[in-house]
């Protein structure tokens, strides 16, 4: 068998798999609407009439957001488990996870996105709550 022919077969399989995947995107409704993806692509100067490509970008974006959210959740759990060791009695009642900007910033930093917020940015679990309900 010719080595070039083997390469062509592999390329044909890859092309076939890609074609099947792009065709399946026509039946898939991503979480991020096509209009939103089109808006931001147009804002960056990219125009594409192919809905399959728009949906491919939406799926990639959805995966990125899910990975960042998962990373932020892991940061949050790690931070709160350190707090539980210090204040074991009080924290046993309240097992809510509170995502902070610090958790999100650390998760985004893993992907090369540096987030800086202003000094006045409210990043406390009790910020914005009624003073009477803060002690609950």
């Amino acid at each position: 068998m010719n080595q070039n022919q083997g390469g062509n077969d592999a390329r044909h399989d890859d092309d076939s798999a890609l074609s099947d995947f792009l065709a399946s995107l026509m039946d898939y409704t991503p979480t991020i609407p096509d209009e939103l993806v089109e808006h931001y692509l147009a804002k960056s100067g990219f125009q594409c009439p192919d809905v399959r490509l728009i949906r491919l970008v939406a799926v990639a974006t959805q995966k990125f957001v899910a990975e960042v959210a998962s990373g932020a959740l892991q940061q949050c759990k790690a931070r709160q488990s350190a707090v539980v060791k210090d204040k074991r009695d009080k924290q046993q009642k309240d097992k809510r996870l509170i995502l902070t900007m610090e958790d999100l910033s650390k998760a985004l930093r893993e992907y090369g996105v540096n987030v800086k917020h202003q000094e006045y940015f409210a990043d406390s679990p009790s910020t914005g709550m009624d003073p009477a309900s803060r002690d609950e």
Side-chain angles (χ1 to χ4, degrees), residues 18-30 34 49-56 59:
L18 180 61
S19 296
D20 292 344
F21 176 70
L22 289 175
S24 71
L25 287 175
M26 291 303 293
D27 300 329
Y28 178 72
T29 305
D34 293 343
D50 192 354
V51 175
R52 298 173 304 173
L53 186 59
I54 301 297
R55 290 195 179 157
L56 181 62
V59 168

Side-chain angles (χ1 to χ4, degrees), residues 51-127:
V51 175
R52 298 173 304 173
L53 186 59
I54 301 297
R55 290 195 179 157
L56 181 62
V57 171
V59 168
T61 304
Q62 182 177 336
K63 181 180 184 302
F64 175 73
V65 169
E67 287 179 356
V68 168
S70 177
L73 177 63
Q74 296 306 315
Q75 292 289 337
C76 178
K77 286 180 178 179
R79 178 181 46 79
Q80 287 189 339
S81 69
V83 171
V84 168
K85 291 176 185 175
D86 296 338
K87 302 176 183 177
R88 194 169 292 275
D89 295 334
K90 187 176 180 181
Q91 289 290 82
Q92 290 298 334
K93 282 194 277 183
D94 189 17
K95 295 206 179 224
R96 294 181 305 168
L97 295 174
I98 300 170
L99 181 68
T100 64
M101 195 64 193
E102 180 184 342
D103 300 329
L104 185 58
S105 295
K106 286 181 181 178
L108 284 168
R109 203 172 302 131
E110 293 176 17
Y111 294 94
V113 179
N114 294 319
V115 178
K116 295 181 181 179
H117 51 80
Q118 300 296 327
E119 294 292 327
Y120 58 84
F121 191 81
D123 199 18
S124 168
S126 61
T127 301

Side-chain angles (χ1 to χ4, degrees), residues 31-45:
T31 303
I32 302 169
D34 293 343
E35 294 80 15
L36 183 65
V37 175
E38 287 174 0
H39 169 77
Y40 282 103
L41 287 176
K43 196 172 177 179
S44 68

